[in-house]
Amino acid sequence: MEGVAWKQRSPATCPPIRCIVKLGGAAITNKGELESIDQDSLRSTCAQLRQAMSDPAAKGKVMGMDWSRRFGDPADPVVDAEGFADMPGIGLDSNFIVVHGAGSFGHFQASRSGVHKGGLHSTLVKAGFVATRISVTSLNQEIVRALAREGIPSVGMPPFACGWSTQQRNLASADASQIIQSLHAGFVPVLHGDAVFDELLDCTILSGDVIIRHLAQLLTPKYVVFLTDVHGVYDRPPTDPDAVLLREIEVDDNGGWSVVKPALQDNGKGVEISVASHDTTGGMETKILEAAAIARLGVDVYITKVDTEHSLRALKGAVNTCSDDWLGTVIRSAK
Amino acid sequence: MEGVAWKQRSPATCPPIRCIVKLGGAAITNKGELESIDQDSLRSTCAQLRQAMSDPAAKGKVMGMDWSRRFGDPADPVVDAEGFADMPGIGLDSNFIVVHGAGSFGHFQASRSGVHKGGLHSTLVKAGFVATRISVTSLNQEIVRALAREGIPSVGMPPFACGWSTQQRNLASADASQIIQSLHAGFVPVLHGDAVFDELLDCTILSGDVIIRHLAQLLTPKYVVFLTDVHGVYDRPPTDPDAVLLREIEVDDNGGWSVVKPALQDNGKGVEISVASHDTTGGMETKILEAAAIARLGVDVYITKVDTEHSLRALKGAVNTCSDDWLGTVIRSAK
């Protein structure tokens, strides 16, 4: 990551970040249906994020920040400008970053064109690059709007537009100064997996998981939450009736990891890790490796199911692994 | 503009840009109707842009690059991947940049909140910043899609996400390296007026006209086209039946300007310049000053009406001011 450091301002100027949240593609879109958002999950996630950001004592009215028309709805948006003007502040600890995957957005376009493999001299790849970006930025726009409707001051930041690029799929340039400035100003940056330029391949797909790891390394949040469509990491595909949820995984300095809870016979070695079935950028192995890389920084990683009491607790950072009533996987440093 | 120079790569690495096109808000949206695109104008403009980029001899089929579903249309998009794979290239001189205004997008949200005046400590301004960005990026998304449907490899680049910022509304930081790299790779960057951070005011609105001037100074295109909803610059409001279209304006080194054609009694002094009635970021005075600043660089500026034979000729750079059959205003350097 040498190449990255010099291209961004010193992390010393960063405010302490509370949480980076990954909205997994499988959690917020309907699998198998092209470009279809799971509106219930998305709405619930935004409401939970608002709760996690709120002072528990505060019971203010939600003041929506999406003042645009809804497609197909002829009514003009209602804006309570006077209500906003009377508020002393938005009353949220909005020190969060949201990163989302693509799910049923982008995947179709990327796989039809092979944009992840690069080669912009190919007309098909060039067209696929354009088509993939249109699809993933459409999803980004909808997520920014859903957050804004919950009164969360969200700002979309497509990595391609931010000038982020890769070198053989590893981040090569990723200036985070605009993200940091947005956090300072009280906004919640919303990034996503995107088609980007690659120094060797011409172009590729930068996944949301790689973005999260980079931001975690740069900003050292208190915790990172991965929301997905199953309860966490299992020892085998979660559709298998014998699948066991791995509740706690420890990562050592060398990148090795072991399952602390539950006690397994074959302690972490050779278990077939599985998070979710719908993953388009590297699969489970990548996901667990990215999470382990974050945990090695001393940042707790919570992987849990979207739209549950468990996701709310994770977003609040209120996970107690000593009790059994939280369903999910904690990945943390062994230190 | 001292502050800008050091933050971007040397313009010496830029390819020669053919044209920067401003799609005026009044040209592509319906005035008076909140967030309503003038679909006919937009479609025509994209088709004309494609014609301007095409070799006149080429009569290839248009291969669309928007592979996303249309809202409300249950049909999946049709992608001719084999057709693309067989193409030796896209066959377009795509060395264009598109910048669009806001029109009936963004203006409502900005004016309700006063986001152009700054002050992010105000909850209303903060909410307005979010709401304005949602509105203008929605329009950007639709314009990128309309271009892609015409087979133009367009990529959206919201200035806020690019990290562009102002100091008392003048550009303070405007790294164009991603724009330049996109042009090199054969893409057409699509920028727009956006809510941005301002070093003194906290935030403001960066207008599309200021963006165009900056890019013209940096990249020295062969010509710049402003598409609007009237035929060009008039000596008084174009709704006035006595209004005279100013066909040619010369700009001198000191920023002074004079009407060369038609010969007016009161040669340029005191004429009430009017381009379009629907302008939200500074009005006519700003527009003519921005155009004059571009012309002083030696770059011809064509201001003309969208969706006409005159706009097509302007986009092709085929304007001959010696003949009277081109309706529009040319602004050029007196040298």
Side-chain angles (χ1 to χ4, degrees):
Chain A
M1 302 284 275
E2 286 297 309
V4 176
W6 66 270
K7 288 184 183 171
Q8 56 211 2
R9 292 183 200 167
S10 162
T13 63
C14 302
I17 304 295
R18 186 164 150 210
C19 176
I20 303 178
V21 185
K22 167 76 187 288
L23 307 184
I28 48 162
T29 71
N30 295 309
K31 302 184 208 181
E33 190 181 342
L34 179 67
E35 298 182 339
S36 165
I37 292 172
D38 184 334
Q39 295 290 357
D40 290 341
S41 276
L42 178 57
R43 203 177 302 119
S44 156
T45 301
C46 295
Q48 290 194 344
L49 268 166
R50 182 184 171 83
Q51 270 187 271
M53 292 175 184
S54 299
D55 181 333
K59 286 270 180 263
K61 191 175 133 199
V62 174
M63 301 280 282
M65 298 184 182
D66 175 7
W67 303 348
S68 285
R69 285 171 71 171
R70 307 295 298 273
F71 199 94
D73 182 353
D76 281 353
V78 177
V79 180
D80 183 3
E82 291 71 30
F84 271 113
D86 290 343
M87 287 170 81
I90 61 165
L92 296 178
D93 169 9
S94 57
N95 217 343
F96 282 63
I97 296 176
V98 173
V99 181
H100 62 84
S104 61
F105 288 75
H107 176 56
F108 163 74
Q109 291 83 359
S111 61
R112 279 308 292 274
S113 58
V115 67
H116 54 289
K117 289 183 274 183
L120 282 171
H121 54 274
S122 151
T123 307
L124 178 59
V125 172
K126 184 168 278 175
F129 190 95
V130 169
T132 302
R133 293 212 69 243
I134 286 172
S135 187
V136 294
T137 55
S138 294
L139 178 60
N140 182 251
Q141 181 78 359
E142 290 308 310
I143 291 174
V144 167
R145 291 187 68 169
L147 289 163
R149 284 197 290 273
E150 280 293 330
I152 296 170
S154 50
V155 284
M157 299 195 130
F160 174 83
C162 294
W164 288 25
S165 65
T166 55
Q167 186 176 45
Q168 273 196 304
R169 302 200 179 97
N170 294 311
L171 267 174
S173 171
D175 185 337
S177 53
Q178 183 74 349
I179 294 171
I180 293 166
Q181 206 180 338
S182 299
L183 288 163
H184 268 299
F187 293 105
V188 176
V190 186
L191 289 85
H192 58 87
D194 202 355
V196 297
F197 291 136
D198 186 283
E199 288 173 19
L200 283 169
L201 306 170
D202 282 356
C203 67
T204 193
I205 299 292
L206 171 64
S207 81
D209 292 330
V210 173
I211 294 170
I212 293 241
R213 184 177 58 158
H214 173 67
L215 292 176
Q217 284 173 330
L218 187 71
L219 305 171
T220 324
K222 290 184 189 156
Y223 52 100
V224 167
V225 177
F226 285 80
L227 297 182
T228 182
D229 63 341
V230 290
H231 280 294
V233 181
Y234 289 81
D235 65 340
R236 69 203 79 181
T239 47
D240 185 328
D242 293 329
V244 174
L245 177 65
L246 307 181
R247 288 172 171 265
E248 203 173 338
I249 294 173
E250 273 187 2
V251 179
D252 65 33
D253 272 351
N254 304 319
W257 53 274
S258 54
V259 178
V260 175
K261 197 177 162 186
L264 298 178
Q265 281 195 306
D266 181 6
N267 194 2
K269 298 282 180 286
V271 293
E272 190 187 335
I273 296 298
S274 194
V275 180
S277 50
H278 189 73
D279 190 303
T280 61
T281 44
M284 307 311 109
E285 203 81 30
T286 310
K287 197 175 292 285
I288 202 88
L289 285 173
E290 298 291 345
I294 296 167
R296 278 172 69 192
L297 305 166
V299 175
D300 286 358
V301 177
Y302 308 130
I303 304 179
T304 191
K305 187 170 180 171
V306 73
D307 191 14
T308 60
E309 59 179 297
H310 315 292
S311 56
L312 179 59
R313 278 170 60 185
L315 291 170
K316 286 180 170 173
V319 169
N320 177 0
T321 48
C322 294
S323 86
D324 274 347
D325 65 349
W326 185 76
L327 277 185
T329 302
V330 177
I331 304 181
R332 60 163 55 109
S333 165
K335 280 184 289 194
Chain B
M1 302 284 278
E2 286 297 308
V4 175
W6 66 271
K7 287 184 183 170
Q8 56 210 2
R9 293 182 199 167
S10 161
T13 64
C14 302
I17 303 295
R18 187 165 149 207
C19 174
I20 303 177
V21 185
K22 168 76 187 290
L23 308 184
I28 48 161
T29 72
N30 295 309
K31 302 183 207 182
E33 189 180 343
L34 179 66
E35 298 181 338
S36 165
I37 292 172
D38 184 335
Q39 296 290 356
D40 290 341
S41 276
L42 179 56
R43 203 177 302 118
S44 156
T45 301
C46 296
Q48 289 194 345
L49 267 166
R50 183 185 170 84
Q51 269 187 273
M53 292 175 185
S54 300
D55 180 334
K59 286 268 178 265
K61 190 175 133 201
V62 173
M63 301 282 282
M65 297 184 181
D66 174 7
W67 304 348
S68 285
R69 284 171 71 170
R70 306 295 297 272
F71 199 93
D73 181 353
D76 282 353
V78 177
V79 180
D80 182 4
E82 291 70 29
F84 272 114
D86 290 342
M87 288 169 81
I90 61 166
L92 296 178
D93 169 9
S94 56
N95 218 344
F96 280 64
I97 296 176
V98 173
V99 181
H100 61 85
S104 61
F105 287 73
H107 177 56
F108 163 74
Q109 291 84 359
S111 61
R112 281 306 294 271
S113 58
V115 68
H116 53 289
K117 288 182 274 184
L120 282 172
H121 56 273
S122 152
T123 307
L124 178 59
V125 172
K126 185 168 278 175
F129 190 95
V130 169
T132 301
R133 294 212 68 242
I134 286 172
S135 187
V136 294
T137 55
S138 293
L139 177 60
N140 182 251
Q141 181 78 0
E142 290 309 310
I143 291 173
V144 167
R145 290 186 69 169
L147 289 163
R149 285 197 290 273
E150 281 292 332
I152 296 170
S154 50
V155 284
M157 298 195 132
F160 174 83
C162 294
W164 287 26
S165 64
T166 55
Q167 187 175 43
Q168 272 193 306
R169 301 200 181 99
N170 294 311
L171 266 174
S173 170
D175 185 337
S177 53
Q178 185 73 351
I179 293 170
I180 293 166
Q181 207 180 338
S182 299
L183 288 162
H184 267 299
F187 293 105
V188 175
V190 186
L191 290 85
H192 58 88
D194 202 356
V196 296
F197 291 135
D198 186 283
E199 288 173 20
L200 283 170
L201 307 170
D202 283 356
C203 67
T204 193
I205 300 292
L206 171 64
S207 80
D209 291 331
V210 172
I211 294 170
I212 293 241
R213 184 177 57 157
H214 172 67
L215 292 177
Q217 284 172 329
L218 187 72
L219 304 172
T220 325
K222 290 185 188 156
Y223 52 100
V224 167
V225 177
F226 285 80
L227 298 182
T228 183
D229 62 343
V230 291
H231 280 294
V233 181
Y234 289 80
D235 66 339
R236 68 202 81 180
T239 46
D240 185 326
D242 294 329
V244 174
L245 178 65
L246 308 180
R247 288 172 172 264
E248 203 173 338
I249 294 173
E250 273 187 359
V251 180
D252 65 33
D253 272 350
N254 304 318
W257 52 274
S258 54
V259 177
V260 176
K261 196 176 164 190
L264 298 179
Q265 281 195 307
D266 182 5
N267 194 5
K269 300 280 180 286
V271 295
E272 189 186 336
I273 295 296
S274 194
V275 179
S277 51
H278 189 74
D279 192 302
T280 61
T281 44
M284 306 312 108
E285 202 80 30
T286 309
K287 199 175 291 285
I288 203 89
L289 285 173
E290 298 291 346
I294 296 167
R296 278 172 69 193
L297 304 167
V299 175
D300 285 358
V301 177
Y302 308 130
I303 304 179
T304 190
K305 188 170 181 172
V306 72
D307 191 14
T308 60
E309 60 180 296
H310 315 291
S311 56
L312 179 59
R313 277 169 60 184
L315 291 170
K316 286 181 170 174
V319 169
N320 178 0
T321 48
C322 295
S323 86
D324 273 347
D325 63 351
W326 185 75
L327 277 185
T329 302
V330 178
I331 304 181
R332 60 163 55 110
S333 165
K335 280 183 289 192

